Amino acid sequence: MSLQNARSPLSLPPFIERRLDEAVLRLTRPADAGTIDFSVPAGEAALIAPDSISWKIFRNPVALFCGGVAAVILELAEPSVRTGVWEHSSFRRDPVRRLQRTGQAAMVTVYGPRSVSERMIAGVVRMHEHVSGETPGGVPYRANDVALLDWVQATATFGFATAYSRYVRSLDDAALSRVFAEARASAQLYGAAGAPGSVEEWRAMLDGMRGRLEPSPIVFEFLELMRTSPALPGPLRPLQRLMVRGAVELVPAWVRERLGLSDRDRASRAELAVLRRLGRSADRVLLPSSPAVQSCRRLGVPTTVLTRW
C-alpha cells in the first residue's frame, strides 16, 4: 500500500496540548452524556484491532471532522435518509450536540471495549426501530431498512478514509479496502448487512446510486450549520469553515454537480495545502486523554501502533 513515511510523535508544550485536548473533546463528548473511560476494563478487546488503519484514522481530528461532514452530505443526498435525519434528529435544533454524539459513537465503535460498543450499537438500533415516515415525494421509509443502513455505513467509511487519505497520508486502493473491511463487524451490528467490504464494492454502490441521489436545500442548510455552529473552541473557529470546504472537496465530483455544490463551496488549492499541513501535524500528536491513547493503555499495547505503519 502507498503510504508516506511515518514520523515520530510530537511533544507539545502543556498549554498547547491542553487546548488541543479541549478541541478534540469538544468534538466527541456531549455535555449531557456520561464520560466514557476507554482505559478500562483492562484487556477487553475492541471491535477493531489496535494495529488497524481505522485506529490511526479516527484519532486525527482533521480526518474526523472533514470525513464526517462529507459523509453527511452524501447521506442527505438520498431522500429517505435525508428525511429521516432531518425530521427525527437534533441537527436543526442543536447541531453541536448532534455532532458530538456522532463523534462519541464513532470513538466507541472503533476504540471502545467490545461490550460497551455492542451495548451502544444495540441502543441505536432500538432507537431506529421507532423512526419511520414518508419522504416529501411520498416514499415510505424506515430507519432500520437494510439498504438505508448500508448507505449510511458506506458513506461514513468513505468519508473518514478519504479525508485521511487526502489530508493526512495517501492510502492506495488496498489500504482503503482494508478500512472498509475493518468496518464490517460494526456495520453488521448496526444491521447494515450489505455494507461494502472493499473500495471496489463501495464504488459499485456509489455508481448504483446515480438514479437516487438528488439536490435539496437541506444540504446547504446543513453546511451553513457546520460553518457557523460553535463546534470548535473560539480560537479555532476559522478552521471550522476551512474544514467544511475541505469536506465538500471530498464528495465525488458527479455528486457535487448533482447537488448544486459549486467551486465556492470547495476548498481552494491554497486551502487544501493548509488542510494537509494541519492533518499531517495532528497525526504526530498523541493526546493523553484521547480514546486511542486510553485504549492502548487498556489493551497494554504501545502507543506506537497509532503512528507506525
Side-chain angles (χ1 to χ4, degrees):
M1 60 185 67
S2 174
L3 301 166
Q4 300 167 18
N5 292 331
R7 292 178 290 177
S8 301
L10 287 175
S11 295
L12 299 176
F15 171 75
I16 296 177
E17 186 175 275
R18 285 197 302 271
R19 295 304 294 267
L20 285 174
D21 246 346
E22 289 172 8
V24 174
L25 291 176
R26 191 182 181 97
L27 280 175
T28 60
R29 183 178 295 173
D32 60 347
T35 301
I36 297 174
D37 187 350
F38 288 84
S39 66
V40 295
E44 184 171 345
L47 291 173
I48 302 175
D51 61 353
S52 64
I53 298 179
S54 297
W55 270 50
K56 297 172 177 62
I57 289 175
F58 280 83
R59 72 176 186 83
N60 189 292
V62 174
L64 194 65
F65 190 97
C66 293
V69 172
V72 175
I73 293 171
L74 287 165
E75 291 166 19
L76 295 178
E78 204 288 327
S80 294
V81 176
R82 179 173 65 244
T83 307
V85 167
W86 221 240
E87 293 186 356
H88 296 274
S89 77
S90 58
F91 252 130
R92 270 176 157 165
R93 300 186 307 276
D94 193 349
V96 173
R97 178 174 174 271
R98 171 61 192 237
L99 189 67
Q100 290 169 333
R101 293 182 71 86
T102 302
Q104 185 182 70
M107 294 297 103
V108 172
T109 300
V110 174
Y111 301 113
R114 180 180 289 269
S115 60
V116 176
S117 303
E118 291 176 343
R119 187 163 59 248
M120 180 204 71
I121 293 172
V124 172
V125 172
R126 287 194 299 271
M127 180 183 66
H128 282 170
E129 289 174 355
H130 305 288
V131 176
S132 61
E134 191 173 279
T135 69
V139 178
Y141 69 85
R142 294 180 303 103
N144 273 345
D145 181 276
V146 174
L148 301 185
L149 292 171
D150 289 347
W151 178 242
V152 170
Q153 290 293 314
T155 55
T157 304
F158 164 80
F160 294 127
T162 304
Y164 191 86
S165 182
R166 193 77 60 88
Y167 302 135
V168 187
R169 294 177 182 274
S170 179
L171 305 178
D172 63 12
D173 281 0
L176 291 171
S177 288
R178 182 175 163 188
V179 180
F180 277 99
E182 290 168 357
R184 288 296 293 271
S186 59
Q188 294 283 338
L189 292 174
Y190 276 109
S198 67
V199 70
E200 291 81 8
E201 291 179 8
W202 154 251
R203 289 168 182 160
M205 171 182 279
L206 179 64
D207 191 58
M209 296 294 286
R210 287 181 181 271
R212 291 175 60 181
L213 304 189
E214 63 180 30
S216 170
I218 288 175
V219 173
F220 294 92
E221 186 177 348
F222 163 72
L223 289 175
E224 183 61 18
L225 286 171
M226 291 298 97
R227 283 190 287 262
T228 59
S229 300
L232 296 179
L236 298 178
R237 204 68 49 76
L239 295 179
Q240 189 172 319
R241 290 178 172 271
L242 171 62
M243 288 194 289
V244 171
R245 290 194 292 275
V248 174
E249 184 71 26
L250 301 175
V251 176
W254 73 264
V255 180
R256 289 199 306 265
E257 183 178 356
R258 179 76 53 85
L259 297 178
L261 294 166
S262 69
D263 288 344
R264 293 192 306 273
D265 302 302
R266 300 167 58 191
S268 67
R269 184 174 299 181
E271 289 173 329
L272 291 174
V274 172
L275 278 173
R276 283 190 287 271
R277 178 169 293 184
L278 286 172
R280 292 168 184 172
S281 296
D283 214 45
R284 298 175 63 196
V285 177
L286 293 176
L287 298 172
S289 66
S290 74
V293 171
Q294 288 186 28
S295 297
C296 285
R297 190 178 306 128
R298 182 184 81 246
L299 293 174
V301 299
T303 56
T304 51
V305 301
L306 302 172
T307 57
R308 288 182 180 172
W309 290 83

